[in-house]
Amino acid sequence: MDHNQAENFQQLVLRLKADKSYDAIEKLSGGAPTGRSLQKLLTKGFTRMPDPETFQGLSRALNVPQRDLVLAAARTLGIYIEAENPADLTLVGAGRLPYESQELLRSTSRELQRWLERDQQHTVATDDSKQGATADVHELFPVHRAAADKGDQGIDPEQLPES
């Protein structure tokens, strides 16, 4: 979405608030923000980011992700953050994985990106996209070598095909 068309904090909260009173929002939020402080935020605006409790409470009260509220507040302050980047791949539920698994996914992603960059550099250098696309494959899996050459550790020579 073009950031010039995206709602700022006041617009988003007022739209989601609809006909609910400030006191009703306060009750739904669990007390933060108070009805009075929310009314002040929406009518007078703000020059600093609201506190985390405000985002958490409004998220509960208005049934909206905190991320949407934070991005709208940033737009209100003149900070435009691209909400979604088409180059990013989101893996649903990956954030609930153990830390080690998350790190494995991150490192795998970095390595795949390095391979892609290296392939793109090779393609530009040779100016032949087909040759560049297969260069790393030949490097990783040489054609002249069998799956396991005789003499490799852990390979039973009796299990190798006859050459």
Side-chain angles (χ1 to χ4, degrees):
M1 175 183 281
D2 180 15
H3 63 73
N4 292 324
Q5 297 174 353
E7 295 174 307
N8 67 25
F9 185 80
Q10 290 84 350
Q11 293 166 333
L12 175 64
V13 172
L14 285 171
R15 178 176 59 80
L16 295 172
K17 174 185 170 293
D19 59 350
K20 295 180 194 88
S21 71
Y22 291 108
D23 290 334
I25 298 293
E26 179 180 351
K27 287 177 186 170
L28 290 170
S29 71
T34 65
R36 174 174 261 161
S37 62
L38 179 59
Q39 185 176 13
K40 185 178 174 185
L41 276 176
L42 297 180
T43 56
K44 294 186 179 184
F46 52 87
T47 57
R48 292 185 308 193
M49 196 65 94
D51 58 53
E53 292 78 20
T54 297
F55 290 122
Q56 292 166 356
L58 287 175
S59 174
R60 255 190 319 274
L62 302 174
N63 195 28
V64 62
Q66 288 184 48
R67 175 184 173 84
D68 292 355
L69 293 165
V70 171
L71 290 172
R75 283 191 294 274
T76 299
L77 296 173
I79 303 167
Y80 295 95
I81 301 168
E82 192 171 336
E84 292 185 23
N85 184 341
D88 291 342
L89 173 66
T90 302
L91 300 174
V92 177
R96 291 189 298 265
L97 292 172
Y99 177 78
E100 294 80 12
S101 298
Q102 292 180 32
E103 278 303 305
L104 177 61
L105 288 171
R106 287 185 194 101
S107 65
T108 302
S109 173
R110 284 190 296 272
E111 192 61 33
L112 289 170
Q113 290 175 50
R114 274 195 283 270
W115 285 355
L116 177 63
E117 289 170 9
R118 194 170 63 213
D119 182 56
Q120 289 171 342
Q121 290 169 354
H122 183 76
T123 301
V124 169
T126 61
D127 200 34
D128 180 3
S129 62
K130 188 168 185 167
Q131 181 183 4
T134 59
D136 287 339
V137 173
H138 292 299
E139 180 182 311
L140 294 173
F141 302 104
V143 176
H144 64 276
R145 183 169 180 206
D149 288 337
K150 290 185 181 182
D152 284 352
Q153 289 184 351
I155 304 297
D156 182 3
E158 299 299 319
Q159 294 178 344
L160 294 172
E162 296 297 321
S163 31

